[in-house]
Amino acid sequence: MPPEMPWYKIMREWENKVRKVVPYTPGEQPNEPDMIKLNTNENPYPPSPRVMEALLKIMPESLKLYPDPTAGTLVRALAKYHGVDESRVFVGVGSDDVLAMCFLTFFQSGKPILFPDITYSFYDVWAELFQIPYRRMRLNDNFEIELRDYISQTEESGGIIFPNPNAPTGIELEQKEIEEIVRKNHDKIVIVDEAYVDFGALSAVSLLDQYDNLIVVRTFSKSRALAGMRIGYALGSPQAIGYLNDAKYSFNSYTMDQTALAAGKASVEDEEYFREMLARVISTREWTKQELKRLGFTFPDSKANFIFASHPSCPAKQLYEALRQAHIYVRYFNKPRIDNYLRITVGTRSEMETFIKFLEKYLADAGIYSEKP
Ligand SMILES: *Cc1c(COP(=O)(O)O)cnc(C)c1O
């Protein structure tokens, strides 16, 4: 070993045979009793009480057996919920698992897949992991998807994926534009990641009957308040779902454990609680938008459970750090074009009141905001 070389710079012989990836960085999960956690788009309310009932019914004895590899109870509950055949439903360990399976399964052409430059930051990580070429299509200056980028390419693409509403902007893409993308790309898979659709955007699920190249991916983590349970699913044509299942059974047959199956089914079957919880989050979101506007923030109109906001007179990074000091956690992305924005998850009304009060005082102390007489 050359003496001037620190140990960590020395490449072991086997290291050039290793798959090297730059991993996705999840939002932090601080755990302080007095914190207000608005950084990872979780639901501020608990899941349906029926979930707890279902979990309490699980006998530890039954855990000695493998779970049902087809995840039948949950697949049937979701099929019924969406009014589709079971052959159109694929479930997984959170939608991250489902999306990873989709990348592995559908994006095999060697041609670049397309997604927005500002979007869920896991897409390029999976593309890198699975060595799928990709191109980031630039959102316009209002952070909107430019339809033409996805329907008239000079170079043929290997597939398309985008969230609707998009993250971290919260902007909804209109149904007819989604349909046009799916229709004009009938020779490849188009994935619509509907992680936030329940908070007020229109779902592409109604297009599934007409387009067998469309995959809609959903999660229980946000709207169903079950991030800790890890449940996600995809809806698509029976052919496409068949390919996903082949990939799954070639990787890990038992992705969904017994508790997730029971909890997921119970959640899907409690529509009333679900609707009430969503209505609360949506109304708090709208209240928060008004308050942010009053304080001088600007933001795209969000249909999700977060608001992507910027202040013309106060750098986002500075606000992020001040909020953090006060144990209020929001998400800040130190990335081109969005480094002056905060992504603020909608919490309970009282959490958002505390958050707004903090901002109001902070901006007033900085001489930026004062209540007009
Ligand atoms: C949160 C999120 C996911 C992943 O959710 P899971 O917890 O893995 O189900 C996927 N896509 C987007 C856009 C998200 O924001």
Side-chain angles (χ1 to χ4, degrees):
M1 184 191 295
E4 70 280 9
M5 269 284 244
W7 64 270
Y8 54 85
K9 284 209 176 140
I10 298 186
M11 193 82 154
R12 283 153 197 82
E13 270 180 274
W14 51 264
E15 282 187 84
N16 58 17
K17 304 183 182 70
V18 168
R19 183 184 293 261
K20 295 181 195 71
V21 286
V22 182
Y24 172 77
T25 335
E28 60 182 322
Q29 293 292 359
N31 197 2
E32 295 152 6
D34 62 335
M35 70 173 175
I36 296 184
K37 193 172 178 306
L38 311 175
N39 70 329
T40 48
N41 296 344
E42 289 138 331
N43 202 304
Y45 301 108
S48 158
R50 291 209 210 161
V51 168
M52 184 53 96
E53 284 165 27
L55 291 177
L56 288 173
K57 281 195 199 128
I58 295 173
M59 292 293 165
E61 170 78 12
S62 73
L63 297 178
K64 71 184 183 194
L65 300 177
Y66 278 107
D68 168 15
T70 70
T73 48
L74 182 58
V75 166
R76 279 190 293 278
L78 285 166
K80 188 166 170 226
Y81 180 77
H82 287 289
V84 300
D85 192 78
E86 287 167 34
S87 59
R88 287 174 166 276
V89 184
F90 175 83
V91 296
V93 188
S95 58
D96 284 343
D97 177 49
V98 173
L99 287 163
M101 277 292 145
C102 286
F103 272 60
L104 184 63
T105 307
F106 298 125
F107 296 154
Q108 279 297 300
S109 68
K111 292 175 182 149
I113 60 165
L114 312 180
F115 48 82
D117 64 337
I118 298 166
T119 194
Y120 188 37
S121 43
F122 224 136
Y123 299 159
D124 49 9
V125 175
W126 286 313
E128 295 280 351
L129 176 65
F130 297 130
Q131 301 174 354
I132 300 163
Y134 59 95
R135 279 180 60 198
R136 294 192 187 92
M137 311 310 281
R138 195 176 190 281
L139 296 180
N140 69 21
D141 291 341
N142 298 324
F143 291 153
E144 292 155 344
I145 283 178
E146 286 287 353
L147 189 60
R148 64 167 181 271
D149 290 343
Y150 298 87
I151 58 179
S152 56
Q153 306 115 36
T154 41
E155 167 193 12
E156 209 203 319
S157 84
I160 292 169
I161 179 163
F162 56 87
N164 190 46
N166 195 10
T169 64
I171 297 175
E172 178 183 18
L173 187 64
E174 273 185 51
Q175 178 88 276
K176 64 175 193 315
E177 304 203 28
I178 293 177
E179 180 163 10
E180 199 167 346
I181 293 174
V182 177
R183 185 158 42 84
K184 296 248 167 85
N185 289 282
H186 56 84
D187 58 342
K188 60 196 73 106
I189 291 287
V190 176
I191 302 173
V192 183
D193 178 353
E194 294 193 335
Y196 301 101
V197 80
D198 291 320
F199 298 103
L202 205 57
S203 171
V205 165
S206 61
L207 301 174
L208 285 168
D209 273 341
Q210 292 168 72
Y211 302 99
D212 60 10
N213 62 318
L214 170 65
I215 300 280
V216 175
V217 176
R218 296 273 192 105
T219 176
F220 282 49
S221 299
K222 281 70 183 237
S223 57
R224 293 191 177 275
L226 282 169
M229 198 43 103
R230 313 305 301 129
I231 307 172
Y233 61 105
L235 301 172
S237 58
Q239 296 83 345
I241 297 300
Y243 283 117
L244 269 182
N245 271 314
D246 290 347
K248 177 196 117 163
Y249 285 112
S250 312
F251 192 80
N252 175 6
S253 314
Y254 304 106
T255 50
M256 308 297 288
D257 66 62
Q258 289 181 32
T259 53
L261 294 177
K265 175 175 184 281
S267 171
V268 173
E269 290 175 351
D270 195 352
E271 181 70 4
E272 195 184 328
Y273 179 88
F274 181 57
R275 291 289 144 202
E276 196 185 301
M277 184 165 64
L278 289 176
R280 281 207 220 175
V281 174
I282 291 167
S283 109
T284 306
R285 176 186 71 206
E286 296 308 309
W287 177 84
T288 308
K289 282 181 189 170
Q290 283 177 12
E291 291 296 299
L292 286 172
K293 197 177 277 172
R294 179 172 66 83
L295 299 179
F297 284 88
T298 58
F299 44 87
D301 191 32
S302 170
K303 289 282 176 63
N305 67 337
F306 54 82
I307 300 166
F308 196 53
S310 178
H311 199 285
S313 321
C314 190
K317 188 149 193 280
Q318 186 184 318
L319 276 174
Y320 163 75
E321 275 154 12
L323 284 160
R324 224 181 123 81
Q325 289 271 312
H327 297 212
I328 301 174
Y329 294 88
V330 298
R331 192 89 192 257
Y332 172 73
F333 300 95
N334 198 356
K335 288 188 177 176
R337 294 183 79 197
I338 57 171
D339 60 358
N340 201 24
Y341 283 81
L342 298 176
R343 193 196 66 191
I344 305 149
T345 305
V346 177
T348 61
R349 174 68 184 247
S350 112
E351 286 174 330
M352 299 322 276
E353 283 170 2
T354 307
F355 167 72
I356 292 290
K357 273 201 199 99
F358 177 89
L359 288 179
E360 188 163 353
K361 180 163 189 320
Y362 185 84
L363 294 174
D365 290 349
I368 293 167
Y369 171 79
S370 66
E371 188 95 55
K372 289 183 191 72

